[in-house]
Amino acid sequence: MKLYAIFFSPTGGTRKVCQLLTSAWQQPAEEIDLSDSRRDFSAISLTAEDICVVAVPSFGGRVPPVAAQRLGQIQGGGARAVFATAYGNRAFEDTLTELEDVLKAAGFRCDAAVAAVAEHSIMHQFAAGRPDARDKEQLEDFSRQICSHLEGGAPGEPAVPGNRPYKELHTIPMVPQTLDTCNRCGICASLCPVQAIPAATPEHTDPQLCISCMRCVQVCPQHARRVAPEILAATSRKLEAVCSQPKENQLFL
Ligand SMILES: Cc1cc2nc3c(=O)[nH]c(=O)nc-3n(C[C@H](O)[C@H](O)[C@H](O)COP(=O)(O)O)c2cc1C
Ligand code: SF4
Ligand code: SF4
């Protein structure tokens, strides 16, 4: 049996959740990073003996389209999937339902699911610091429960919340701006999951390609990329009521 941690994690929260969910198997998980825009995912071929923890962030209550597309290229080969979403304390809506469909179409068997809260990657005041120590304990406990559930034989599909058809894809476009302090080091261009930043002119961003994932903002050593403060403030005010009350992680077996 080989253990895989497969994730799309522009700013690292989803990766943390994915790693915590692999903890019960007590063996190193091979990482497959879906945000690597240069990797050929169709070359990945899994088998029925493999166990994969597959995690994506919820973007607008859906699976980020680029993550769905790259997952769809993997040959699942009957591998068992524990599928998870990390969301920023608003709601994950149809993310798990869609993720399950994407995985089944790629040939995975879907055995268990988790929805976990992680710091909001745009408005960091929501779920700040999560997953925290309590989340870590809880997600490690979920991992143990899932591990014994899988060892118990053929577990069957978990009932996850969500609708088909999925809610419409709609996120508020927040293309980061580049400030004058940019020294054109190119780090953001090389790490953008969708190649929206040209390497030669990193002060420009293609608004058609940008998925507002915030990785460039996080990785810029000069702090030269940001979402316009007035847009950030207005969106924060709009989401305050639905994002402020801490939400619980959920396990679906
Ligand atoms: C474009 C975008 C859309 C998002 N939409 C939602 C959402 O619908 N519900 C929610 O609770 N959090 C939402 N978030 C927050 C992320 O789901 C959350 O911060 C997640 O942990 C980010 O994963 P990462 O740290 O792996 O990049 C959104 C974040 C981004 C960047
Ligand atoms: S990482 Fe920052 S400094 Fe480097 S090119 Fe991008 S915006 Fe400019
Ligand atoms: S340019 Fe857009 S898609 Fe690329 S890293 Fe920045 S926010 Fe993400």
Side-chain angles (χ1 to χ4, degrees):
M1 184 277 280
K2 239 183 131 175
L3 180 67
Y4 290 90
I6 305 177
F7 51 80
F8 182 75
S9 185
T11 69
T14 310
R15 182 178 177 210
K16 269 186 216 155
V17 167
C18 191
Q19 287 170 335
L20 289 167
L21 291 173
T22 62
S23 59
W25 282 272
Q26 298 186 339
Q27 69 177 77
E30 181 174 327
E31 293 198 335
I32 298 178
D33 180 359
L34 299 167
S35 69
D36 182 349
S37 67
R38 285 166 188 87
R39 183 156 182 184
D40 174 13
F41 294 97
S42 65
I44 300 172
S45 194
L46 304 168
T47 74
E49 280 72 53
D50 296 329
I51 294 181
C52 306
V53 177
V54 185
V56 300
S58 180
F59 280 8
R62 296 278 307 270
V63 177
V66 65
Q69 186 227 327
R70 290 173 188 170
L71 271 175
Q73 290 170 356
I74 296 176
Q75 296 160 60
R80 311 191 89 150
V82 175
F83 57 108
T85 187
Y87 72 107
N89 207 52
R90 186 189 69 79
F92 59 92
E93 291 156 322
D94 300 335
T95 315
L96 286 179
T97 302
E98 184 179 8
L99 183 55
E100 180 174 22
D101 292 347
V102 168
L103 288 169
K104 280 179 14 194
F108 290 80
R109 283 179 292 167
C110 293
D111 289 328
V114 168
V117 178
E119 179 168 308
H120 203 295
S121 50
I122 305 178
M123 292 156 283
H124 295 277
Q125 71 274 29
F126 301 132
R130 294 185 74 181
D132 56 19
R134 184 173 165 269
D135 294 315
K136 179 174 178 287
E137 258 177 45
Q138 196 173 35
L139 293 172
E140 285 172 347
D141 180 56
F142 285 0
S143 181
R144 285 189 289 275
Q145 288 188 51
I146 295 167
C147 187
S148 14
H149 186 66
L150 262 61
E151 276 166 5
E157 286 163 17
V160 294
N163 297 298
R164 294 183 187 85
Y166 321 125
K167 68 177 290 206
E168 240 176 82
L169 263 181
H170 171 72
T171 47
I172 306 155
M174 290 203 198
V175 180
Q177 316 168 318
T178 310
L179 306 177
D180 292 345
T181 44
C182 168
N183 64 7
R184 297 187 160 198
C185 70
I187 291 174
C188 58
S190 67
L191 293 176
C192 171
V194 292
Q195 299 190 24
I197 307 172
T201 52
E203 64 275 25
H204 298 299
T205 305
D206 184 337
Q208 305 301 324
L209 291 178
C210 175
I211 57 168
S212 303
C213 73
M214 301 299 131
R215 175 172 277 182
C216 55
V217 175
Q218 191 191 59
V219 299
C220 174
Q222 306 300 322
H223 307 290
R225 290 181 69 93
R226 64 167 196 199
V227 173
E230 59 281 7
I231 297 182
L232 208 52
T235 315
S236 292
R237 275 197 299 276
K238 219 168 112 188
L239 291 181
E240 178 104 47
V242 282
C243 289
S244 298
Q245 200 58 30
K247 302 205 166 89
E248 289 294 325
N249 304 310
Q250 288 172 268
L251 168 64
F252 305 95
L253 289 176

